[in-house]
Amino acid sequence: MQKLEQTLDSREVAEMLETEHWKLLRKLGGNKTYKGIITVLTDNNFVVSDFFIPSTYKDSSGKENRCYKVTKKGCEFLANKFTGEKGVTFTARYINRFHEMQDALTAREPELPWFIREFKGDYVMLFRDFESITGVSLHHNSPFWKAHARVMIGGFYYNVSGSGRASDRESFRNKHGFEYDEDDFVSYLYPSGIRAVLSLCRNDRKFKIEQEAYDMIMDGLKAIPKPTKQNRIAQPKPTAIGASITSPVQINIICQKED
């Protein structure tokens, strides 16, 4: 995608060169009496797509017409074919355009990795995803939970229906993008909780994780968009783990959301 975005349409290149598009196409593709640039490159075993990528566009009537996607190398190639003021202005124009595209790519928010989920208005990491990456189980009654339950930061979200039917699971998956656990709970960590647990794992030899797994999760945290404003939602009154639950409820254990 990045490679395709960093090309210019030959119609735009023609405008920069202050020439007709058909004339640029003829220069590139040639005709019966003229061997075009692309033919020369092909005959001399150059990779043409490094410079010019065949493409099409539809005009106002819906007719499909030929054009090219011109790479930065292709623009540099064409700039060398023009001298004087025309060559100078074209060089300045295409350099500015490629810088604009690069700036736009750089300014994009990094994509969230698969293990950072959007759930009920927050970014979270499921216990099961943490275990799949690190090998450390965080669930209730696990060795880690028993050792560090007092400082765990996370929560449980009970399934709306509580029936566990296939249709309920499908509805939940369609809404949130993942399935709830077999016990009808979703166990997760907020970003601050992820950092806290990683810190505990690094300091407790019993639960030491690989550096690669640590770096992977930390890099994922960096991809979380910065909040534009404070948006805290009052949480329901905590309910003891194992208690009977008949309606949706979230249980927070030392619940601390990242600013």
Side-chain angles (χ1 to χ4, degrees):
M1 184 179 293
Q2 183 167 323
K3 182 177 180 181
L4 289 176
E5 287 182 358
Q6 294 194 64
T7 61
L8 297 179
D9 190 295
S10 56
R11 290 170 291 170
E12 183 178 1
V13 172
E15 289 182 10
M16 291 180 175
L17 287 168
E18 298 178 359
T19 187
E20 303 276 354
H21 185 229
W22 69 267
K23 291 182 179 178
L24 177 59
L25 292 181
R26 185 178 63 183
K27 184 179 287 292
L28 294 175
N31 55 30
K32 294 181 180 179
T33 59
Y34 171 75
K35 183 182 285 190
I37 292 171
I38 290 175
T39 302
V40 174
L41 291 173
T42 302
D43 291 346
N44 288 275
N45 299 316
F46 286 96
V47 180
V48 176
S49 59
D50 286 345
F51 304 87
F52 310 103
I53 304 169
S55 185
T56 59
Y57 71 94
K58 289 184 178 180
D59 59 23
S60 57
S61 66
K63 179 184 176 183
E64 195 169 80
N65 299 287
R66 184 166 56 99
C67 68
Y68 288 93
K69 298 296 183 183
V70 185
T71 68
K72 189 174 183 180
K73 280 187 178 181
C75 286
E76 291 170 353
F77 187 98
L78 291 173
N80 289 327
K81 301 289 289 183
F82 294 87
T83 59
E85 185 176 339
K86 196 170 188 177
V88 171
T89 56
F90 171 65
T91 300
R93 286 167 180 162
Y94 88 74
I95 287 177
N96 282 340
R97 282 291 286 115
F98 277 98
H99 273 278
E100 288 174 6
M101 288 188 285
Q102 185 59 47
D103 289 344
L105 287 171
T106 303
R108 286 179 177 175
E109 292 285 353
E111 291 187 6
L112 289 173
W114 63 269
F115 55 85
I116 299 295
R117 318 274 189 166
E118 292 187 60
F119 185 57
K120 296 182 70 63
D122 292 300
Y123 292 98
V124 303
M125 184 176 187
L126 304 182
F127 279 18
R128 63 177 184 251
D129 291 341
F130 187 91
E131 182 176 358
S132 70
I133 295 173
T134 66
V136 176
S137 174
L138 307 179
H139 283 281
H140 184 52
N141 286 330
S142 69
F144 187 93
W145 180 276
K146 291 178 179 179
H148 300 290
R150 291 185 178 180
V151 289
M152 286 288 291
I153 303 170
F156 298 86
Y157 174 72
Y158 190 69
N159 173 35
V160 173
S161 68
S163 67
R165 294 177 301 180
S167 59
D168 298 320
R169 288 188 171 277
E170 184 178 358
S171 176
F172 184 93
R173 182 175 61 249
N174 292 337
K175 181 178 180 180
H176 299 291
F178 61 89
E179 292 188 351
Y180 50 80
D181 297 335
E182 291 300 322
D183 55 4
D184 294 348
F185 280 88
V186 173
S187 309
Y188 59 88
L189 296 167
Y190 293 120
S192 54
I194 299 171
R195 294 186 178 91
V197 172
L198 286 175
S199 178
L200 290 171
C201 288
R202 301 204 84 179
N203 295 323
D204 190 332
R205 293 181 179 179
K206 295 179 182 178
F207 308 105
K208 192 171 183 63
I209 62 178
E210 297 292 334
Q211 185 65 43
E212 184 178 356
Y214 177 89
D215 292 339
M216 178 181 177
I217 296 174
M218 289 301 293
D219 288 342
L221 288 171
K222 294 175 184 176
I224 296 176
K226 300 295 183 183
T228 55
K229 62 180 180 179
Q230 195 75 11
N231 184 23
R232 294 184 179 273
I233 302 175
Q235 303 295 340
K237 184 177 180 180
T239 304
I241 297 173
S244 177
I245 303 174
T246 58
S247 61
V249 63
Q250 178 167 318
I251 303 171
N252 293 325
I253 301 170
I254 313 180
C255 180
Q256 176 184 342
K257 297 176 66 175
E258 187 178 43
D259 293 330

